[in-house]
Amino acid sequence: MPQTPAAAPAPEPAPEDPRDPVDAITDQWAAVRPDLETLPMAVFGRLWRIEQAMAVRMERTYKRFGISRGEFDVLATLRRSGEPYTLSPRQLSATLMVTTGGMTGRLDKLERAGWLARSPDPHDRRGLRVTLSERGVEMIDAAVAAGLDVQREALESALDADAAAQLNALLRPLLKAVE
């Protein structure tokens, strides 16, 4: 009985290329300016690209709730301020680093949608108070959970829990240094 040759072992899958577009940029700089230390460029380039990619994902997520990322920020700021979920437009502007004009536009849209209400400030005749509506609380709670799911999926696709915690710890002093 003739022996059939053993099948050749399947080729090993090629390892995933660990390099990314930031490496290509720093390689180009190394070729034309070998005197430059491009590690800072690589770190901040990756942070910027991560932020840009996540901004698209988050905008898509919040759109399902009928809000933009900027509108999410207003509602989330009110929600995390605690009951009665009320702040002045000036407090919101300062917290979100948005001009008062930009804040007015966001508040107009969110008030028309029923997510919040503006009322006179009882302690300042010229002031207003912005309060998250009951409907707004329910919606922002759902939007926050959905956004966290998107962020968690992104982290878990690349890092284990220990590495994510380490990255968080490493970024804290960097943020403090640049702010």
Side-chain angles (χ1 to χ4, degrees), residues 11-19:
E12 290 288 318
E16 218 175 290
D17 185 3
R19 298 179 54 76

Side-chain angles (χ1 to χ4, degrees), residues 76-88:
T77 300
L78 289 166
R79 178 64 171 101
R80 70 176 185 264
S81 73
E83 287 192 55
Y85 315 120
T86 301
L87 295 170
S88 71

Side-chain angles (χ1 to χ4, degrees), residues 92-131:
L92 285 165
S93 293
T95 299
L96 299 174
M97 296 182 291
V98 175
T99 65
T100 54
M103 183 56 64
T104 299
R106 289 181 189 182
L107 294 176
D108 288 345
K109 182 177 179 205
L110 293 168
E111 188 172 37
R112 279 192 305 271
W115 305 126
L116 56 79
R118 286 182 273 199
S119 59
D121 186 332
H123 307 293
D124 179 359
R125 290 184 319 156
R126 296 170 295 152
L128 289 175
R129 304 300 288 167
V130 179
T131 304

